[in-house]
Amino acid sequence: MLLTSAIFLITFVVLIIDKIPRTIVAITGAVAMLVFGVMDIKEAMTYVSWETIGLLFGMFSLVAMLSEAGFFQFLALWVAEKLNYRAAAIFMVFPLLSAFLAAFIDSITVMLFLVSLTYEICRCVDMDPIPLVVAEVCCANIGGAATLVGDPPNVILGTMLGFTFNDFATHTAPIAVLSAFLCVSLFYLKEKNRIATSQATCIATEGLRPADKITDPYLLKVGLTGFFVAIVLLTSHTFLEHAIGIKLSVAEAALIPAILAILCGGHKTHDIIQRIDIDVLLFFIALFVIVGGLEKTHVIKYLADTMVSVSGGSPYIMLAFLLFGAGYTSGVVDNVPLALTMGVILKDISQTSNMLALPIMIWALSLGVDIGGNITPIGASANVVAYSSMEKFGSKVGWSRWIGLAFWPTTIVLILCYSLIIVKLHIGWY
């Protein structure tokens, strides 16, 4: 127990320090589990959720295809054009667009293209882009909490514990929608006086044509078709199994349309396959092995018993711990290993204690780790991408300004989430 705990803690601390690529850190931790005899490689592979890996690979492939075709840049500019480049409308709608997109694609991808377009549009309307970008990041992380394929923590929790796309859409999505609107409103109220002085000029917006962003119409059609089929299969695979006997896992629901799209794309998809972030998949595999070591040596059981003891058996304290405790922790700790570890702990709690059912704890944890990471520039991968992109555009944001912009909207949103989770607990809808 002491050895596996030491390996886990060292890995976690090095991940927090963030001086070494996280994939290398995680693989080193997983190898340590093997070298020190905690488990052999065959046993280690049984702890890996291959369903998670398959789902991620399938969605990564489809998103990479759409990104290569220029779809996301086109969509953002098309929305801005429909809003007539009005600063107030852009400030309200772009974060909501960010939330919507992040519910279906990786929030990193959302911020990669949205930050550059936000700077381009803010230059045209003479508006400070920093508050808008931070609002977009916060809403992207909130939107990611809405579905199974949103943020990586949801992918882990859903596939590892058997929750479907429809489960998240039913239970976390409504809360995420209300949270996104509240978050945008709070940001807007703080910035409305500055936004009121912004105004677009016809000359500045002449060069922003949405259609110019589409680089490959054929690839766009293939990618959109594959993405649409994947979402349909993810939402209906349980119905298909019961209605006509076709059994599909969530991984297959994403992989089948992804593979067909790649085949239909022919030589055009060759480069896209090479661009898929394999590092992320290796990072996930290594994390599963490390947490598997904790599970095998009963560290997880010890942590689960400790959490129940600390909460005093109160469901309200436990849910507050999952939302606020895990939420604020994810502001300084990578939320992927945090979600994976906590997910296994909650599974153990649900099996050994009747304090709370597993689903209500998972919804609280999902909302906490996804949204709580908004507080700092390193709280989630999307934050890091946005922060570094803003620096490339010459904006010196700094931790103090980021926290000043994001802390209170995030805290108020977490309070809303906690209130709604308690309502779900009382009415028994979870």
Side-chain angles (χ1 to χ4, degrees):
M1 181 182 287
L2 290 175
L3 176 62
T4 52
S5 298
I7 293 172
F8 175 77
L9 287 173
I10 292 170
T11 303
F12 225 82
V13 169
V14 178
L15 283 172
I16 294 172
I17 295 171
D18 199 27
K19 296 295 183 184
I20 304 173
R22 66 178 187 170
T23 302
I24 294 175
V25 174
I27 290 176
T28 302
V31 170
M33 290 285 184
L34 303 177
V35 170
F36 288 103
V38 176
M39 63 181 81
D40 58 35
I41 191 164
K42 184 178 180 180
E43 189 178 14
M45 291 300 99
T46 64
Y47 284 103
V48 177
S49 173
W50 296 107
E51 188 116 335
T52 301
I53 305 303
L55 176 59
L56 285 171
F57 182 82
M59 297 307 293
F60 281 174
S61 302
L62 294 169
V63 169
M65 196 175 298
L66 290 173
S67 182
E68 179 71 15
F71 171 70
F72 301 117
Q73 293 90 333
F74 161 81
L75 180 61
L77 279 184
W78 179 80
V79 169
E81 188 179 74
K82 293 300 178 184
L83 297 174
N84 293 320
Y85 296 97
R86 297 191 306 274
I90 288 171
F91 198 96
M92 293 292 287
V93 172
F94 262 54
L96 294 176
L97 174 65
S98 172
F100 173 76
L101 291 174
F104 300 99
I105 65 177
D106 184 19
S107 56
I108 296 174
T109 302
V110 174
M111 297 319 301
L112 278 173
F113 75 85
L114 198 55
V115 172
S116 59
L117 284 176
T118 298
Y119 267 78
E120 194 171 359
I121 291 169
C122 284
R123 177 182 55 80
C124 296
V125 300
D126 191 26
M127 182 168 62
D128 182 5
I130 293 175
L132 178 54
V133 171
V134 175
E136 289 168 352
V137 173
C138 290
C139 283
N141 290 325
I142 292 171
T147 69
L148 171 68
V149 297
D151 268 6
N154 287 23
V155 178
I156 290 175
L157 294 171
T159 53
M160 182 174 65
L161 300 173
F163 295 105
T164 66
F165 187 97
N166 292 343
D167 289 332
F168 279 92
T170 301
H171 295 286
T172 62
I175 298 176
V177 170
L178 292 174
S179 297
F181 278 101
L182 176 60
C183 183
V184 172
S185 300
L186 293 169
F187 270 96
Y188 180 78
L189 288 173
K190 187 174 182 179
E191 300 294 325
K192 65 177 182 178
N193 292 334
R194 296 188 186 93
I195 296 170
T197 63
S198 302
Q199 187 175 357
T201 64
C202 294
I203 295 174
T205 58
E206 275 180 1
L208 301 179
R209 288 185 291 271
D212 292 344
K213 296 296 182 179
I214 300 297
T215 58
D216 193 322
Y218 175 73
L219 198 61
L220 175 64
K221 292 176 184 177
V222 172
L224 281 175
T225 302
F227 191 81
F228 177 76
V229 172
I231 296 300
V232 170
L233 291 178
L234 284 167
T235 55
S236 64
H237 69 97
T238 304
F239 168 78
L240 291 174
E241 180 179 352
H242 288 96
I244 54 179
I246 297 178
K247 187 173 182 180
L248 281 177
S249 67
V250 292
E252 291 167 337
L255 282 170
I256 291 171
I259 292 170
L260 290 175
I262 289 171
L263 292 174
C264 291
H267 70 279
K268 294 185 178 184
T269 57
H270 176 73
D271 293 336
I272 292 172
I273 297 173
Q274 294 179 327
R275 290 176 53 199
I276 295 172
D277 200 346
I278 301 300
D279 279 0
V280 174
L281 302 180
L282 293 174
F283 175 65
F284 275 75
I285 291 171
L287 283 180
F288 277 116
V289 172
I290 294 170
V291 175
L294 296 179
E295 193 172 359
K296 181 185 177 182
T297 55
H298 306 295
V299 175
I300 293 294
K301 179 171 177 53
Y302 172 78
L303 293 173
D305 291 341
T306 301
M307 280 182 61
V308 173
S309 177
V310 169
S311 69
S314 168
Y316 304 107
I317 294 175
M318 177 63 78
L319 291 173
F321 178 81
L322 295 174
L323 256 165
F324 296 102
Y328 287 130
T329 300
S330 69
V332 292
V333 174
D334 192 317
N335 61 8
V336 171
L338 179 63
L340 175 55
T341 308
M342 289 297 299
V344 179
I345 291 172
L346 295 186
K347 182 180 179 182
D348 192 275
I349 290 174
S350 70
Q351 293 172 344
T352 58
S353 169
N354 59 1
M355 179 174 56
L356 282 168
L358 180 61
I360 191 74
M361 291 191 288
I362 293 301
W363 309 145
L365 177 64
S366 168
L367 292 163
V369 297
D370 286 337
I371 298 172
N374 287 334
I375 292 172
T376 70
I378 63 167
S381 299
N383 305 30
V384 177
V385 169
Y387 190 84
S388 59
S389 296
M390 286 191 285
E391 287 188 330
K392 289 177 183 176
F393 281 104
S395 296
K396 299 299 180 183
V397 184
W399 274 56
S400 59
R401 187 174 184 191
W402 182 292
I403 294 173
L405 287 166
F407 180 82
W408 284 113
T410 300
T411 298
I412 293 170
V413 165
L414 286 175
I415 292 171
L416 172 67
C417 292
Y418 181 72
S419 303
L420 294 175
I421 286 290
I422 294 300
V423 170
K424 290 175 73 68
L425 177 66
H426 276 286
I427 64 176
W429 185 42
Y430 50 80

